[in-house]
Amino acid sequence: MPQLDTATYLTQYRWTLVCLFLLFSLLVSSVLPTIKKNWLIRKSVTGGLDATESSKEQGLSRKVVWIWKD
């Protein structure tokens, strides 16, 4: 059975580790900083965790706004 061949198994294992390391590096270097930047922008716009209290103080309401009128 080729799945249990030691030489084949070790090369598959190495390629799996290399691919997972590259995927992890891509995630840490580009995806996570983008998510953090968007989260910080959203947090600064909404006013943090207590957005409902600050929006009531500013006279803002959370209601559905239709873009297209019928």
mmCIF file of all heavy atoms in Angstrom, residues 25-67:
data_model
loop_
_atom_site.group_PDB
_atom_site.id
_atom_site.type_symbol
_atom_site.label_atom_id
_atom_site.label_comp_id
_atom_site.label_asym_id
_atom_site.label_seq_id
_atom_site.Cartn_x
_atom_site.Cartn_y
_atom_site.Cartn_z
ATOM 1 N N SER A 25 1.672 31.906 7.772
ATOM 2 C CA SER A 25 2.422 33.147 7.557
ATOM 3 C C SER A 25 1.592 34.165 6.800
ATOM 4 O O SER A 25 1.601 35.362 7.126
ATOM 5 C CB SER A 25 3.706 32.860 6.794
ATOM 6 O OG SER A 25 4.517 31.976 7.507
ATOM 7 N N LEU A 26 0.875 33.720 5.786
ATOM 8 C CA LEU A 26 -0.002 34.610 5.033
ATOM 9 C C LEU A 26 -1.097 35.165 5.923
ATOM 10 O O LEU A 26 -1.406 36.364 5.876
ATOM 11 C CB LEU A 26 -0.617 33.853 3.846
ATOM 12 C CG LEU A 26 -1.629 34.617 3.018
ATOM 13 C CD1 LEU A 26 -0.925 35.687 2.202
ATOM 14 C CD2 LEU A 26 -2.384 33.672 2.115
ATOM 15 N N LEU A 27 -1.668 34.333 6.744
ATOM 16 C CA LEU A 27 -2.724 34.760 7.650
ATOM 17 C C LEU A 27 -2.220 35.812 8.634
ATOM 18 O O LEU A 27 -2.852 36.852 8.829
ATOM 19 C CB LEU A 27 -3.279 33.555 8.409
ATOM 20 C CG LEU A 27 -4.397 33.815 9.386
ATOM 21 C CD1 LEU A 27 -5.678 34.076 8.622
ATOM 22 C CD2 LEU A 27 -4.566 32.651 10.310
ATOM 23 N N VAL A 28 -1.069 35.575 9.228
ATOM 24 C CA VAL A 28 -0.537 36.492 10.235
ATOM 25 C C VAL A 28 -0.043 37.788 9.601
ATOM 26 O O VAL A 28 -0.203 38.870 10.178
ATOM 27 C CB VAL A 28 0.584 35.796 11.036
ATOM 28 C CG1 VAL A 28 1.347 36.781 11.893
ATOM 29 C CG2 VAL A 28 0.003 34.696 11.892
ATOM 30 N N SER A 29 0.526 37.717 8.411
ATOM 31 C CA SER A 29 1.136 38.907 7.820
ATOM 32 C C SER A 29 0.157 39.808 7.083
ATOM 33 O O SER A 29 0.354 41.025 7.049
ATOM 34 C CB SER A 29 2.262 38.505 6.870
ATOM 35 O OG SER A 29 1.730 37.797 5.774
ATOM 36 N N SER A 30 -0.920 39.266 6.521
ATOM 37 C CA SER A 30 -1.796 40.139 5.742
ATOM 38 C C SER A 30 -3.258 40.117 6.189
ATOM 39 O O SER A 30 -3.882 41.166 6.265
ATOM 40 C CB SER A 30 -1.716 39.778 4.256
ATOM 41 O OG SER A 30 -2.236 38.483 4.048
ATOM 42 N N VAL A 31 -3.798 38.974 6.493
ATOM 43 C CA VAL A 31 -5.228 38.898 6.785
ATOM 44 C C VAL A 31 -5.547 39.469 8.162
ATOM 45 O O VAL A 31 -6.454 40.294 8.302
ATOM 46 C CB VAL A 31 -5.724 37.437 6.653
ATOM 47 C CG1 VAL A 31 -7.168 37.307 7.066
ATOM 48 C CG2 VAL A 31 -5.536 36.947 5.228
ATOM 49 N N LEU A 32 -4.829 39.051 9.179
ATOM 50 C CA LEU A 32 -5.119 39.524 10.536
ATOM 51 C C LEU A 32 -4.899 41.033 10.715
ATOM 52 O O LEU A 32 -5.714 41.685 11.368
ATOM 53 C CB LEU A 32 -4.317 38.725 11.558
ATOM 54 C CG LEU A 32 -4.773 37.284 11.749
ATOM 55 C CD1 LEU A 32 -3.887 36.571 12.759
ATOM 56 C CD2 LEU A 32 -6.207 37.211 12.177
ATOM 57 N N PRO A 33 -3.842 41.635 10.160
ATOM 58 C CA PRO A 33 -3.729 43.098 10.279
ATOM 59 C C PRO A 33 -4.873 43.844 9.576
ATOM 60 O O PRO A 33 -5.322 44.882 10.062
ATOM 61 C CB PRO A 33 -2.387 43.418 9.623
ATOM 62 C CG PRO A 33 -1.596 42.189 9.782
ATOM 63 C CD PRO A 33 -2.583 41.069 9.660
ATOM 64 N N THR A 34 -5.354 43.314 8.465
ATOM 65 C CA THR A 34 -6.476 43.941 7.772
ATOM 66 C C THR A 34 -7.739 43.868 8.618
ATOM 67 O O THR A 34 -8.486 44.846 8.733
ATOM 68 C CB THR A 34 -6.713 43.252 6.413
ATOM 69 O OG1 THR A 34 -5.510 43.289 5.660
ATOM 70 C CG2 THR A 34 -7.823 43.938 5.640
ATOM 71 N N ILE A 35 -7.977 42.719 9.228
ATOM 72 C CA ILE A 35 -9.146 42.570 10.090
ATOM 73 C C ILE A 35 -9.039 43.502 11.294
ATOM 74 O O ILE A 35 -10.014 44.150 11.682
ATOM 75 C CB ILE A 35 -9.301 41.099 10.524
ATOM 76 C CG1 ILE A 35 -9.698 40.241 9.328
ATOM 77 C CG2 ILE A 35 -10.329 40.973 11.638
ATOM 78 C CD1 ILE A 35 -9.712 38.760 9.631
ATOM 79 N N LYS A 36 -7.849 43.603 11.880
ATOM 80 C CA LYS A 36 -7.669 44.479 13.033
ATOM 81 C C LYS A 36 -7.872 45.940 12.654
ATOM 82 O O LYS A 36 -8.492 46.697 13.410
ATOM 83 C CB LYS A 36 -6.278 44.285 13.628
ATOM 84 C CG LYS A 36 -6.058 45.117 14.857
ATOM 85 C CD LYS A 36 -4.702 44.903 15.457
ATOM 86 C CE LYS A 36 -4.526 45.783 16.689
ATOM 87 N NZ LYS A 36 -3.212 45.620 17.275
ATOM 88 N N LYS A 37 -7.357 46.347 11.488
ATOM 89 C CA LYS A 37 -7.523 47.726 11.046
ATOM 90 C C LYS A 37 -8.994 48.055 10.833
ATOM 91 O O LYS A 37 -9.481 49.100 11.276
ATOM 92 C CB LYS A 37 -6.725 47.968 9.755
ATOM 93 C CG LYS A 37 -6.811 49.397 9.254
ATOM 94 C CD LYS A 37 -5.920 49.624 8.060
ATOM 95 C CE LYS A 37 -6.396 48.798 6.896
ATOM 96 N NZ LYS A 37 -5.684 49.099 5.639
ATOM 97 N N ASN A 38 -9.724 47.151 10.185
ATOM 98 C CA ASN A 38 -11.152 47.378 9.966
ATOM 99 C C ASN A 38 -11.914 47.412 11.286
ATOM 100 O O ASN A 38 -12.848 48.198 11.454
ATOM 101 C CB ASN A 38 -11.730 46.302 9.054
ATOM 102 C CG ASN A 38 -11.259 46.463 7.634
ATOM 103 O OD1 ASN A 38 -10.855 47.546 7.232
ATOM 104 N ND2 ASN A 38 -11.295 45.381 6.884
ATOM 105 N N TRP A 39 -11.526 46.564 12.241
ATOM 106 C CA TRP A 39 -12.178 46.546 13.533
ATOM 107 C C TRP A 39 -11.935 47.851 14.294
ATOM 108 O O TRP A 39 -12.849 48.394 14.912
ATOM 109 C CB TRP A 39 -11.672 45.351 14.346
ATOM 110 C CG TRP A 39 -12.295 45.258 15.691
ATOM 111 C CD1 TRP A 39 -13.574 44.878 15.986
ATOM 112 C CD2 TRP A 39 -11.679 45.590 16.931
ATOM 113 N NE1 TRP A 39 -13.763 44.930 17.335
ATOM 114 C CE2 TRP A 39 -12.632 45.358 17.950
ATOM 115 C CE3 TRP A 39 -10.411 46.025 17.280
ATOM 116 C CZ2 TRP A 39 -12.345 45.572 19.275
ATOM 117 C CZ3 TRP A 39 -10.134 46.232 18.614
ATOM 118 C CH2 TRP A 39 -11.090 46.012 19.588
ATOM 119 N N LEU A 40 -10.699 48.366 14.220
ATOM 120 C CA LEU A 40 -10.401 49.626 14.898
ATOM 121 C C LEU A 40 -11.148 50.796 14.265
ATOM 122 O O LEU A 40 -11.630 51.688 14.974
ATOM 123 C CB LEU A 40 -8.891 49.890 14.882
ATOM 124 C CG LEU A 40 -8.050 48.982 15.776
ATOM 125 C CD1 LEU A 40 -6.573 49.235 15.548
ATOM 126 C CD2 LEU A 40 -8.420 49.176 17.233
ATOM 127 N N ILE A 41 -11.262 50.788 12.944
ATOM 128 C CA ILE A 41 -12.026 51.840 12.267
ATOM 129 C C ILE A 41 -13.490 51.767 12.681
ATOM 130 O O ILE A 41 -14.115 52.773 13.008
ATOM 131 C CB ILE A 41 -11.866 51.726 10.738
ATOM 132 C CG1 ILE A 41 -10.447 52.086 10.326
ATOM 133 C CG2 ILE A 41 -12.873 52.611 10.017
ATOM 134 C CD1 ILE A 41 -10.133 51.780 8.878
ATOM 135 N N ARG A 42 -14.049 50.563 12.681
ATOM 136 C CA ARG A 42 -15.446 50.398 13.055
ATOM 137 C C ARG A 42 -15.674 50.796 14.519
ATOM 138 O O ARG A 42 -16.673 51.417 14.859
ATOM 139 C CB ARG A 42 -15.879 48.955 12.837
ATOM 140 C CG ARG A 42 -17.328 48.711 13.116
ATOM 141 C CD ARG A 42 -17.679 47.295 12.799
ATOM 142 N NE ARG A 42 -17.491 47.055 11.389
ATOM 143 C CZ ARG A 42 -18.462 46.684 10.569
ATOM 144 N NH1 ARG A 42 -19.653 46.469 11.037
ATOM 145 N NH2 ARG A 42 -18.229 46.496 9.308
ATOM 146 N N LYS A 43 -14.714 50.456 15.377
ATOM 147 C CA LYS A 43 -14.835 50.805 16.791
ATOM 148 C C LYS A 43 -14.779 52.318 16.986
ATOM 149 O O LYS A 43 -15.519 52.871 17.794
ATOM 150 C CB LYS A 43 -13.729 50.121 17.582
ATOM 151 C CG LYS A 43 -13.824 50.315 19.056
ATOM 152 C CD LYS A 43 -12.720 49.563 19.760
ATOM 153 C CE LYS A 43 -12.737 49.862 21.244
ATOM 154 N NZ LYS A 43 -11.638 49.210 21.938
ATOM 155 N N SER A 44 -13.904 53.003 16.232
ATOM 156 C CA SER A 44 -13.804 54.452 16.381
ATOM 157 C C SER A 44 -15.038 55.153 15.824
ATOM 158 O O SER A 44 -15.446 56.190 16.343
ATOM 159 C CB SER A 44 -12.545 54.970 15.697
ATOM 160 O OG SER A 44 -12.660 54.836 14.299
ATOM 161 N N VAL A 45 -15.645 54.602 14.781
ATOM 162 C CA VAL A 45 -16.836 55.223 14.199
ATOM 163 C C VAL A 45 -18.047 55.024 15.098
ATOM 164 O O VAL A 45 -18.831 55.947 15.320
ATOM 165 C CB VAL A 45 -17.100 54.650 12.785
ATOM 166 C CG1 VAL A 45 -18.464 55.046 12.282
ATOM 167 C CG2 VAL A 45 -16.031 55.123 11.829
ATOM 168 N N THR A 46 -18.211 53.813 15.630
ATOM 169 C CA THR A 46 -19.384 53.534 16.453
ATOM 170 C C THR A 46 -19.216 54.005 17.885
ATOM 171 O O THR A 46 -20.188 54.066 18.614
ATOM 172 C CB THR A 46 -19.708 52.025 16.461
ATOM 173 O OG1 THR A 46 -18.586 51.312 16.974
ATOM 174 C CG2 THR A 46 -20.052 51.543 15.081
ATOM 175 N N GLY A 47 -18.027 54.290 18.322
ATOM 176 C CA GLY A 47 -17.813 54.785 19.663
ATOM 177 C C GLY A 47 -17.498 53.720 20.678
ATOM 178 O O GLY A 47 -17.696 53.909 21.863
ATOM 179 N N GLY A 48 -17.052 52.569 20.247
ATOM 180 C CA GLY A 48 -16.648 51.536 21.187
ATOM 181 C C GLY A 48 -17.750 50.552 21.486
ATOM 182 O O GLY A 48 -18.674 50.350 20.715
ATOM 183 N N LEU A 49 -17.649 49.941 22.656
ATOM 184 C CA LEU A 49 -18.582 48.890 23.029
ATOM 185 C C LEU A 49 -19.940 49.429 23.433
ATOM 186 O O LEU A 49 -20.954 48.768 23.256
ATOM 187 C CB LEU A 49 -17.990 48.061 24.178
ATOM 188 C CG LEU A 49 -16.703 47.318 23.845
ATOM 189 C CD1 LEU A 49 -16.151 46.648 25.091
ATOM 190 C CD2 LEU A 49 -16.955 46.284 22.766
ATOM 191 N N ASP A 50 -20.012 50.612 23.999
ATOM 192 C CA ASP A 50 -21.279 51.172 24.436
ATOM 193 C C ASP A 50 -21.848 52.105 23.363
ATOM 194 O O ASP A 50 -22.137 53.265 23.610
ATOM 195 C CB ASP A 50 -21.113 51.908 25.760
ATOM 196 C CG ASP A 50 -20.034 52.980 25.698
ATOM 197 O OD1 ASP A 50 -19.252 52.975 24.736
ATOM 198 O OD2 ASP A 50 -19.986 53.801 26.603
ATOM 199 N N ALA A 51 -22.018 51.577 22.155
ATOM 200 C CA ALA A 51 -22.493 52.390 21.036
ATOM 201 C C ALA A 51 -23.950 52.777 21.212
ATOM 202 O O ALA A 51 -24.377 53.835 20.755
ATOM 203 C CB ALA A 51 -22.311 51.635 19.718
ATOM 204 N N THR A 52 -24.740 51.953 21.865
ATOM 205 C CA THR A 52 -26.156 52.277 22.019
ATOM 206 C C THR A 52 -26.347 53.462 22.956
ATOM 207 O O THR A 52 -27.189 54.321 22.707
ATOM 208 C CB THR A 52 -26.924 51.048 22.553
ATOM 209 O OG1 THR A 52 -26.333 50.634 23.781
ATOM 210 C CG2 THR A 52 -26.881 49.915 21.558
ATOM 211 N N GLU A 53 -25.563 53.549 24.028
ATOM 212 C CA GLU A 53 -25.676 54.666 24.947
ATOM 213 C C GLU A 53 -25.203 55.962 24.309
ATOM 214 O O GLU A 53 -25.833 57.003 24.456
ATOM 215 C CB GLU A 53 -24.888 54.379 26.214
ATOM 216 C CG GLU A 53 -25.419 53.206 26.998
ATOM 217 C CD GLU A 53 -24.522 52.840 28.168
ATOM 218 O OE1 GLU A 53 -23.548 53.585 28.404
ATOM 219 O OE2 GLU A 53 -24.784 51.831 28.823
ATOM 220 N N SER A 54 -24.087 55.919 23.591
ATOM 221 C CA SER A 54 -23.568 57.142 22.977
ATOM 222 C C SER A 54 -24.455 57.596 21.821
ATOM 223 O O SER A 54 -24.580 58.784 21.580
ATOM 224 C CB SER A 54 -22.137 56.923 22.487
ATOM 225 O OG SER A 54 -22.115 55.945 21.473
ATOM 226 N N SER A 55 -25.091 56.657 21.110
ATOM 227 C CA SER A 55 -25.958 57.068 20.006
ATOM 228 C C SER A 55 -27.229 57.730 20.531
ATOM 229 O O SER A 55 -27.760 58.643 19.909
ATOM 230 C CB SER A 55 -26.312 55.866 19.121
ATOM 231 O OG SER A 55 -27.084 54.929 19.851
ATOM 232 N N LYS A 56 -27.706 57.286 21.697
ATOM 233 C CA LYS A 56 -28.875 57.940 22.291
ATOM 234 C C LYS A 56 -28.533 59.344 22.752
ATOM 235 O O LYS A 56 -29.347 60.259 22.646
ATOM 236 C CB LYS A 56 -29.399 57.114 23.460
ATOM 237 C CG LYS A 56 -30.050 55.832 23.028
ATOM 238 C CD LYS A 56 -30.521 55.033 24.222
ATOM 239 C CE LYS A 56 -31.119 53.714 23.783
ATOM 240 N NZ LYS A 56 -31.512 52.868 24.924
ATOM 241 N N GLU A 57 -27.329 59.521 23.263
ATOM 242 C CA GLU A 57 -26.903 60.836 23.705
ATOM 243 C C GLU A 57 -26.746 61.797 22.535
ATOM 244 O O GLU A 57 -27.012 62.982 22.660
ATOM 245 C CB GLU A 57 -25.584 60.741 24.467
ATOM 246 C CG GLU A 57 -25.680 60.006 25.785
ATOM 247 C CD GLU A 57 -24.330 59.781 26.407
ATOM 248 O OE1 GLU A 57 -23.320 60.196 25.800
ATOM 249 O OE2 GLU A 57 -24.265 59.187 27.497
ATOM 250 N N GLN A 58 -26.326 61.303 21.391
ATOM 251 C CA GLN A 58 -26.106 62.144 20.229
ATOM 252 C C GLN A 58 -27.363 62.310 19.389
ATOM 253 O O GLN A 58 -27.353 63.000 18.392
ATOM 254 C CB GLN A 58 -25.003 61.560 19.357
ATOM 255 C CG GLN A 58 -23.658 61.516 20.040
ATOM 256 C CD GLN A 58 -22.614 60.809 19.208
ATOM 257 O OE1 GLN A 58 -22.909 60.293 18.143
ATOM 258 N NE2 GLN A 58 -21.393 60.761 19.691
ATOM 259 N N GLY A 59 -28.438 61.663 19.751
ATOM 260 C CA GLY A 59 -29.679 61.780 18.996
ATOM 261 C C GLY A 59 -29.724 60.882 17.774
ATOM 262 O O GLY A 59 -30.506 61.126 16.867
ATOM 263 N N LEU A 60 -28.897 59.870 17.727
ATOM 264 C CA LEU A 60 -28.880 58.954 16.603
ATOM 265 C C LEU A 60 -29.808 57.787 16.891
ATOM 266 O O LEU A 60 -29.996 57.388 18.032
ATOM 267 C CB LEU A 60 -27.464 58.432 16.351
ATOM 268 C CG LEU A 60 -26.412 59.481 16.053
ATOM 269 C CD1 LEU A 60 -25.040 58.820 15.964
ATOM 270 C CD2 LEU A 60 -26.720 60.197 14.763
ATOM 271 N N SER A 61 -30.401 57.233 15.855
ATOM 272 C CA SER A 61 -31.274 56.079 16.047
ATOM 273 C C SER A 61 -30.858 54.973 15.100
ATOM 274 O O SER A 61 -30.314 55.232 14.025
ATOM 275 C CB SER A 61 -32.734 56.447 15.800
ATOM 276 O OG SER A 61 -32.898 56.843 14.457
ATOM 277 N N ARG A 62 -31.151 53.741 15.499
ATOM 278 C CA ARG A 62 -30.840 52.582 14.666
ATOM 279 C C ARG A 62 -32.130 52.109 14.021
ATOM 280 O O ARG A 62 -32.849 51.308 14.588
ATOM 281 C CB ARG A 62 -30.233 51.469 15.498
ATOM 282 C CG ARG A 62 -28.877 51.797 16.015
ATOM 283 C CD ARG A 62 -28.370 50.638 16.804
ATOM 284 N NE ARG A 62 -27.036 50.917 17.282
ATOM 285 C CZ ARG A 62 -26.019 50.104 17.159
ATOM 286 N NH1 ARG A 62 -26.180 48.936 16.612
ATOM 287 N NH2 ARG A 62 -24.834 50.436 17.610
ATOM 288 N N LYS A 63 -32.433 52.628 12.873
ATOM 289 C CA LYS A 63 -33.617 52.193 12.159
ATOM 290 C C LYS A 63 -33.236 51.884 10.721
ATOM 291 O O LYS A 63 -32.200 52.334 10.228
ATOM 292 C CB LYS A 63 -34.712 53.247 12.210
ATOM 293 C CG LYS A 63 -34.336 54.563 11.563
ATOM 294 C CD LYS A 63 -35.471 55.538 11.649
ATOM 295 C CE LYS A 63 -35.079 56.840 10.938
ATOM 296 N NZ LYS A 63 -36.171 57.786 10.930
ATOM 297 N N VAL A 64 -34.081 51.148 10.060
ATOM 298 C CA VAL A 64 -33.817 50.748 8.682
ATOM 299 C C VAL A 64 -34.039 51.949 7.770
ATOM 300 O O VAL A 64 -35.073 52.620 7.846
ATOM 301 C CB VAL A 64 -34.738 49.580 8.278
ATOM 302 C CG1 VAL A 64 -34.518 49.209 6.827
ATOM 303 C CG2 VAL A 64 -34.516 48.393 9.190
ATOM 304 N N VAL A 65 -33.063 52.202 6.923
ATOM 305 C CA VAL A 65 -33.154 53.301 5.968
ATOM 306 C C VAL A 65 -33.151 52.707 4.583
ATOM 307 O O VAL A 65 -32.233 51.975 4.203
ATOM 308 C CB VAL A 65 -31.970 54.284 6.125
ATOM 309 C CG1 VAL A 65 -32.052 55.394 5.096
ATOM 310 C CG2 VAL A 65 -31.935 54.852 7.531
ATOM 311 N N TRP A 66 -34.190 52.982 3.818
ATOM 312 C CA TRP A 66 -34.297 52.440 2.461
ATOM 313 C C TRP A 66 -33.586 53.353 1.478
ATOM 314 O O TRP A 66 -33.760 54.576 1.500
ATOM 315 C CB TRP A 66 -35.756 52.303 2.055
ATOM 316 C CG TRP A 66 -36.473 51.299 2.888
ATOM 317 C CD1 TRP A 66 -37.315 51.553 3.919
ATOM 318 C CD2 TRP A 66 -36.361 49.885 2.786
ATOM 319 N NE1 TRP A 66 -37.755 50.394 4.483
ATOM 320 C CE2 TRP A 66 -37.183 49.342 3.795
ATOM 321 C CE3 TRP A 66 -35.671 49.023 1.970
ATOM 322 C CZ2 TRP A 66 -37.306 47.974 3.982
ATOM 323 C CZ3 TRP A 66 -35.811 47.677 2.159
ATOM 324 C CH2 TRP A 66 -36.615 47.165 3.156
ATOM 325 N N ILE A 67 -32.767 52.777 0.647
ATOM 326 C CA ILE A 67 -32.016 53.541 -0.336
ATOM 327 C C ILE A 67 -32.909 53.883 -1.520
ATOM 328 O O ILE A 67 -32.930 54.996 -2.008
ATOM 329 C CB ILE A 67 -30.771 52.758 -0.797
ATOM 330 C CG1 ILE A 67 -29.852 52.531 0.393
ATOM 331 C CG2 ILE A 67 -30.046 53.514 -1.899
ATOM 332 C CD1 ILE A 67 -28.680 51.635 0.087
#
